[in-house]
Amino acid sequence: MILKLNKNIFYDISLFRIFYVISLLFEIIAISPIEIFAGYLNGIIFIWGIFICLHIMFKESYKFNIKNKNIAFLFIILGVFTSCFNFSSNILMNLIINFNNLMCIFLFLGMSKNTSQEKADAEVNFLFKFIIYFSFFVSIFSIYILFAHKHINFMGHDLGISQNRFFGITTNPNQLAFLSVISIFSCDFLQDKYFKNKFKINKFFLRICMALNIITLFLTDSNAAFIFITIYLSIKLFYENFSSYDKFKNIKFLREIIFVSMLIIFLVSGSFLLRMGCQKLVTQIINSQKINENLPEEQKTLKLDDFKEPLKIGRGNHELSSGRILLFKQGIKLSKIHPIVGIGRENLYYYSRIYLDGGLAFPYNHADLHNIYLTIIVSYGWLGFALFMILILSYIYKIAHVIFIKMHSMNSKLISKLFAIIIAYFVYASFEVGILSGIAFADILIWLYLGYAVMLINSDKKNNF
């Protein structure tokens, strides 16, 4: 009996998803012990995922029966072929990335096939709450470091602010900004009556978290994340305005589009002004801090060095694309090497050293083109890009059909929030590291959103919608 129970836990896909997302979430923390532990934990959970996939393939193949299953398998097979065709020292990492893609598609996207509705609701509730609490503490500690120290170097990592960018306690300001946006969405999502009727939620705490994450988002000065949240709110506003009509055919399209467009313009311009105001206010508060005269002489000298130059938050009149135009041009050159099947995801840096003068413009620790579409074209070729888009667009169309054609289904409002964050994510990932870029929190989460949206759609169908 105990052995059977342990076996059920080991092959529990919902439990695997929870641990996988959380282990990747902790990897964004720029504190070496946490980062190293999260890395090892992620490796163990990844191996766990391999066993689950093999078990499903041979024992419970019906759980692999997702929409456009053949397209998904062709994409995975192409990825393996590309890895072998472009054989290099990165062959193992390329194969690992392909197996991660397999898990994302069949274990996350296939949620409605491998998990019950009740279990999926509990999983999403737990994960979203975990993200909210996690971002709350990350924001608190990040803002504390900013006000107390401005910048510190802890075990080789910059914390606080560096080069006018607010990192906080994360590895990158864009990571902190992404976490803030996802947390804002999670707060909004869990306040829907569908979840309020099932799980206990402290609305006051959720509002505090939303406010804190908005401040953190403004301080990071991430344009991509700013676009992310703006598009999410715009689509949400657009849907809520249209859903006020009884039937789709009754909508006065021109009038509503003009009205919503004006609201979006005010939303965007107002948000920019708020961001600038927030950055200036925080800058003035920190720069107005006086040195404590009671400090010992050595500490006082350290403080004077820290405040020798006034703090600035924001990049000012910087190049708007932050080097992404150069990366795009380099990506176009790399896409011409093997235009049909690509060069393999983990070969980007390797091939850039061969075919580009000076290599990739911004390789960092993990080479990327900061554009998911171009990254997929370069990594898997135009054939891989076509397979990927067919798979993704089929799911997006399915979600859009429910929320716009069948606007008053039981879960349509909840699904509309997922639709908004999904569309916003695919726009955001045109400027940032995203889906299929590697094994990271930002890469995995979109598959969870897509999988759960399909789960809610299937739930509506079962309720005779």
Side-chain angles (χ1 to χ4, degrees):
M1 182 70 178
I2 294 174
L3 185 65
K4 185 177 180 181
L5 183 63
N6 290 337
K7 187 177 179 181
N8 289 338
I9 292 173
F10 185 78
Y11 293 118
D12 189 327
I13 299 173
S14 180
L15 192 64
F16 163 77
R17 284 193 296 261
I18 290 172
F19 275 96
Y20 200 37
V21 170
I22 290 174
S23 69
L24 291 171
L25 182 56
F26 273 98
E27 283 190 339
I28 74 172
I29 300 297
I31 299 173
S32 294
I34 295 175
E35 195 177 8
I36 292 168
F37 174 76
Y40 280 114
L41 180 62
N42 177 247
I44 293 169
I45 295 170
F46 186 87
I47 295 170
W48 179 18
I50 292 175
F51 279 103
I52 291 176
C53 284
L54 293 175
H55 173 77
I56 293 174
M57 281 182 184
F58 296 107
K59 298 289 185 178
E60 299 175 308
S61 57
Y62 65 91
K63 291 183 178 180
F64 266 12
N65 190 30
I66 66 169
K67 182 180 175 65
N68 286 328
K69 178 180 70 174
N70 293 335
I71 298 292
F73 270 122
L74 280 174
F75 180 78
I76 300 300
I77 292 168
L78 174 66
V80 174
F81 171 79
T82 298
S83 301
C84 297
F85 180 72
N86 296 279
F87 190 89
S88 69
S89 59
N90 297 315
I91 180 68
L92 180 60
M93 279 306 301
N94 273 313
L95 293 176
I96 288 173
I97 290 294
N98 281 298
F99 209 97
N100 180 70
N101 295 344
L102 176 74
M103 289 193 292
C104 287
I105 293 172
F106 288 99
L107 300 189
F108 282 79
L109 185 61
M111 182 186 288
S112 62
K113 297 295 182 181
N114 58 49
T115 309
S116 66
Q117 177 72 49
E118 185 177 353
K119 199 165 189 177
D121 289 344
E123 174 190 338
V124 168
N125 175 67
F126 177 83
L127 277 175
F128 284 16
K129 282 182 178 177
F130 190 93
I131 290 168
I132 291 167
Y133 281 105
F134 184 86
S135 68
F136 176 78
F137 287 109
V138 167
S139 295
I140 288 291
F141 283 115
S142 297
I143 292 172
Y144 167 76
I145 290 172
L146 175 64
F147 279 88
H149 305 283
K150 287 205 312 181
H151 166 264
I152 59 174
N153 188 283
F154 182 73
M155 299 181 74
H157 285 291
D158 288 323
L159 304 179
I161 190 165
S162 179
Q163 297 179 340
N164 300 340
R165 301 294 308 281
F166 182 50
F167 285 66
I169 61 170
T170 62
T171 55
N172 187 286
N174 295 325
Q175 294 272 24
L176 181 57
F178 180 83
L179 176 63
S180 297
V181 174
I182 294 305
S183 181
I184 292 167
F185 162 71
S186 299
C187 290
D188 182 37
F189 190 83
L190 292 181
Q191 290 185 70
D192 190 274
K193 64 179 181 180
Y194 180 86
F195 274 90
K196 286 194 293 187
N197 293 337
K198 283 193 170 190
F199 308 100
K200 291 182 179 180
I201 298 169
N202 189 322
K203 290 176 67 176
F204 180 70
F205 177 72
L206 291 182
R207 287 167 183 167
I208 291 174
C209 286
M210 287 184 77
L212 187 62
N213 279 288
I214 289 169
I215 293 170
T216 305
L217 175 62
F218 285 167
L219 293 177
T220 60
D221 200 44
S222 171
N223 289 329
F226 197 70
I227 292 171
F228 191 6
I229 192 67
T230 302
I231 291 175
Y232 168 70
L233 294 174
S234 298
I235 294 174
K236 187 171 178 285
L237 179 66
F238 183 86
Y239 173 78
E240 288 181 355
N241 200 60
F242 276 59
S243 64
S244 62
Y245 289 85
D246 293 332
K247 293 182 180 180
F248 186 77
K249 63 181 182 181
N250 294 336
I251 296 174
K252 306 292 190 295
F253 279 100
L254 183 60
R255 187 184 70 182
E256 295 302 332
I257 287 172
I258 292 172
F259 175 71
V260 172
S261 297
M262 289 177 64
L263 286 177
I264 291 170
I265 290 169
F266 282 120
L267 172 68
V268 173
S269 56
S271 298
F272 267 108
L273 290 172
L274 281 173
R275 183 171 77 165
M276 290 171 59
C278 180
Q279 290 175 356
K280 286 182 179 179
L281 177 62
V282 171
T283 300
Q284 288 174 358
I285 291 172
I286 295 174
N287 287 333
S288 65
Q289 290 178 351
K290 294 182 179 180
I291 302 167
N292 189 340
E293 296 296 335
N294 297 321
L295 286 173
E297 195 64 34
E298 291 181 0
Q299 293 185 28
K300 190 184 295 183
T301 304
L302 180 64
K303 279 283 185 180
L304 282 167
D305 288 340
D306 285 344
F307 286 87
K308 187 180 292 182
E309 293 184 5
L311 171 73
K312 292 181 181 178
I313 299 177
R315 290 168 287 181
N317 296 321
H318 68 292
E319 197 267 307
L320 192 60
S321 73
S322 299
R324 284 169 175 78
I325 293 175
L326 177 57
L327 277 174
F328 188 84
K329 291 177 180 177
Q330 290 184 324
I332 294 296
K333 289 182 181 179
L334 291 174
S335 70
K336 296 175 182 178
I337 301 171
H338 295 301
I340 305 300
V341 297
I343 63 175
R345 175 63 191 86
E346 290 300 307
N347 288 334
L348 274 176
Y349 182 76
Y350 173 73
Y351 275 89
S352 70
R353 300 294 297 176
I354 298 172
Y355 292 95
L356 300 175
D357 292 335
L360 210 59
F362 305 98
Y364 301 112
N365 295 325
H366 184 72
D368 193 88
L369 300 172
H370 283 265
N371 182 306
I372 60 164
Y373 308 106
L374 186 57
T375 300
I376 292 170
I377 291 168
V378 172
S379 303
Y380 306 103
W382 284 99
L383 178 58
F385 179 74
L387 293 172
F388 170 77
M389 292 306 295
I390 291 170
L391 179 67
I392 292 298
L393 289 176
S394 66
Y395 279 88
I396 290 177
Y397 172 78
K398 185 175 184 178
I399 299 168
H401 181 266
V402 169
I403 65 170
F404 286 109
I405 304 302
K406 302 177 179 179
M407 293 187 295
H408 302 288
S409 68
M410 184 177 66
N411 297 324
S412 61
K413 188 173 182 180
L414 196 62
I415 297 168
S416 73
K417 292 181 180 180
L418 286 165
F419 177 77
I421 200 70
I422 288 165
I423 298 300
Y425 177 94
F426 278 103
V427 176
Y428 163 82
S430 300
F431 312 100
E432 269 301 335
V433 177
I435 193 168
L436 300 183
S437 290
I439 304 174
F441 174 67
D443 307 332
I444 299 297
L445 208 59
I446 186 65
W447 298 102
L448 180 72
Y449 292 156
L450 282 164
Y452 189 61
V454 174
M455 169 72 79
L456 291 173
I457 290 170
N458 291 342
S459 174
D460 274 348
K461 288 180 179 178
K462 289 176 184 177
N463 286 283
N464 298 319
F465 168 68

